[in-house]
Amino acid sequence: MKDPRIQKLAKNLINYSVKLQKGEKVLIENFGLQRELVTALVHEAYAAGGYPFVSLKDQQVDRALLLGGQEEQFGMMAEFEANVMSKMDAYIGLRSGDNINEHADVPDTQMKLHGRTIGQKVHRDIRVPKTRWVVLRYPNSSMAQLAKMSTEAFEDFYFDVCNLDYGKMDKAMDALADLMNQTDEVRITGPGTDLVFSIKDIPAVKCAGEMNIPDGEVYTAPVRDSVNGTITYNTPSPYNGFTFENVVLTFKDGKIIEAAANDTERINSIFDTDEGARFIGEFAIGVNPFIQHPMQDILFDEKIDGSFHFTPGQCYDDAFNDNHSNIHWDMVNIQRPEYGGGEMYFDGVLIRKDGRFVIEALEGLNPENLK
């Protein structure tokens, strides 16, 4: 029997997230074989009058390619995939691997090579700026384990999160985006955190189900050289197959001058990828009411109710602060009381305390008003 929640999700992805129109082409890329959702997406694409194309990939096979790949080969792969992507109007990326650490033993040099070839030429140069795109995970026992839930309970959670009323969320985000667009100085305080930076004249962008599922954030970027102070991230943060914890970053005039973690040498190697890796490319506020705790999956963790993320690396074109990098690493701090609390000030005015918005204009984004 078909799960009606999958049909609803497929319909939302095709018609709301990427807004596929008659005659348009959509690439459905699936890491891991999730036949039911991929098939539902194909049917919904045809129903919309579009042309679906499907690419099926596997994490273990991908690991083998990464381990032995040469620069010339990656360049050819990038050319091949870029040729396909350049012909697409929309892109749906479905990730459903069984092991988040599948790439843990791939050398850092290989991951960086992949990032500056396929990552840059296919995704950053074409998919992000030139297609309507959305990326999402698909529930499995591995994800349930990371979330410390049974598989069935996690599936229920997943569909609650992914099928919520994103149109309602989008309207509620207007007030926050407007306020961010009027703000110069942001100050964030909390356990191990006292951070000050400017977001003046950098646009705020609402994310309500059109580029990520699940969704629920409003992002901008700091003025590149304005960041000063220290931030302590209180959620685990996987990157290239290794999970970083207890990450503490210290900034001076925008640059990370000190970085510590459970593997300090490894994290500094990542920040030495290029010049832009030690500057921040994104500041975002998470508001998804169904996501309460981290599960080591950034598509979920960056949307956690009462959180914010502060991202070393590449900025987005629509919130441009002139920072360029081959990395974009969303790391999350949760400010709800059970995670230590914290405050967020815009131009000296307290707008959120312990994860809840405290000014009337923003109360619509508190969790009870979004469910």
Side-chain angles (χ1 to χ4, degrees):
M1 180 181 296
K2 292 182 179 179
D3 188 331
R5 300 175 301 180
I6 294 175
Q7 297 299 123
K8 180 179 179 181
L9 177 58
K11 186 181 291 289
N12 289 342
L13 289 168
I14 291 293
N15 297 296
Y16 177 83
S17 297
V18 301
K19 297 178 175 60
L20 193 69
Q21 303 297 308
K22 185 176 180 179
E24 290 187 329
K25 300 174 290 294
V26 57
L27 175 62
I28 302 163
E29 185 177 69
N30 180 202
F31 270 91
L33 187 54
Q34 298 300 332
R35 291 185 181 91
E36 193 168 7
L37 180 55
V38 172
T39 301
L41 287 167
V42 169
H43 289 321
E44 290 296 337
Y46 282 137
Y51 301 122
F53 296 79
V54 175
S55 173
L56 302 178
K57 299 185 177 183
D58 180 87
Q59 280 192 323
Q60 292 185 30
V61 174
D62 192 51
R63 172 184 173 274
L65 287 168
L66 286 166
L67 284 171
Q70 303 296 310
E71 185 163 11
E72 180 181 6
Q73 175 193 356
F74 282 140
M76 293 174 67
M77 291 167 66
E79 183 178 355
F80 169 77
E81 293 196 23
N83 182 57
V84 173
M85 193 72 75
S86 67
K87 292 177 170 59
M88 296 295 131
D89 301 289
Y91 170 87
I92 298 174
L94 175 60
R95 308 290 187 261
S96 52
D98 294 326
N99 181 3
I100 67 165
N101 298 314
E102 195 64 61
H103 294 162
D105 55 356
V106 177
D108 190 49
T109 53
Q110 292 298 97
M111 296 304 299
K112 289 178 179 177
L113 176 59
H114 182 272
R116 69 173 181 264
T117 52
I118 296 173
Q120 179 67 46
K121 295 178 182 178
V122 179
H123 295 281
R124 286 188 287 274
D125 288 352
I126 301 174
R127 172 179 58 92
V128 172
K130 297 181 181 179
T131 73
R132 300 187 304 279
W133 57 270
V134 61
V135 295
L136 70 156
R137 305 292 189 254
Y138 193 81
N140 57 23
S141 56
S142 174
M143 293 176 69
Q145 188 174 33
L146 289 170
K148 299 179 173 60
M149 300 169 69
S150 70
T151 302
E152 184 176 350
F154 182 78
E155 287 178 354
D156 291 340
F157 157 76
Y158 173 88
F159 286 109
D160 282 343
V161 168
C162 293
N163 285 331
L164 66 77
D165 187 345
Y166 283 112
K168 177 181 178 180
M169 176 184 282
D170 181 72
K171 291 183 177 65
M173 286 176 167
D174 285 339
L176 178 57
D178 289 345
L179 181 59
M180 292 171 73
N181 284 328
Q182 298 169 32
T183 296
D184 178 356
E185 183 187 88
V186 177
R187 183 183 181 196
I188 301 174
T189 60
T193 296
D194 194 344
L195 198 63
V196 178
F197 54 94
S198 173
I199 57 172
K200 185 177 181 180
D201 296 330
I202 298 179
V205 180
K206 301 183 299 177
C207 295
E210 293 184 323
M211 290 182 287
N212 287 175
I213 293 291
D215 216 344
E217 65 173 279
V218 180
Y219 71 83
T220 182
V223 175
R224 189 175 185 269
D225 60 357
S226 71
V227 185
N228 285 284
T230 299
I231 181 171
T232 299
Y233 297 95
N234 58 9
T235 67
S237 187
Y239 193 85
N240 285 352
F242 181 84
T243 299
F244 290 89
E245 298 184 67
N246 306 313
V247 175
V248 180
L249 306 181
T250 300
F251 296 84
K252 180 176 174 57
D253 298 332
K255 186 176 183 178
I256 298 169
I257 58 170
E258 292 182 25
N262 55 332
D263 190 332
T264 294
E265 182 178 355
R266 190 167 188 156
I267 200 170
N268 277 282
S269 174
I270 294 169
F271 292 142
D272 289 337
T273 296
D274 48 43
E275 180 184 359
R278 286 190 177 267
F279 290 81
I280 296 296
E282 179 189 3
F283 160 60
I285 299 172
V287 299
N288 193 300
F290 288 106
I291 309 177
Q292 295 291 305
H293 305 290
M295 50 174 287
Q296 298 185 46
D297 188 312
I298 195 57
L299 276 184
F300 287 77
D301 293 356
E302 67 179 358
K303 318 304 190 324
I304 290 171
D305 168 45
S307 75
F308 70 92
H309 52 278
F310 206 60
T311 304
Q314 180 68 35
C315 66
Y316 290 116
D317 287 345
D318 52 5
F320 190 70
N321 73 346
D322 203 29
N323 195 50
H324 301 278
S325 177
N326 281 315
I327 79 165
H328 179 93
W329 187 0
D330 295 312
M331 291 191 281
V332 178
N333 179 290
I334 306 171
Q335 292 194 301
R336 300 200 317 273
E338 62 267 41
Y339 287 92
E343 298 79 34
M344 185 178 294
Y345 300 87
F346 285 0
D347 290 330
V349 176
L350 180 67
I351 65 112
R352 196 172 74 167
K353 180 176 175 60
D354 295 341
R356 288 187 61 85
F357 293 100
V358 296
I359 62 175
E360 184 177 357
L362 302 182
E363 287 179 352
L365 288 170
N366 284 328
E368 67 274 14
N369 296 319
L370 288 177
K371 289 184 178 180

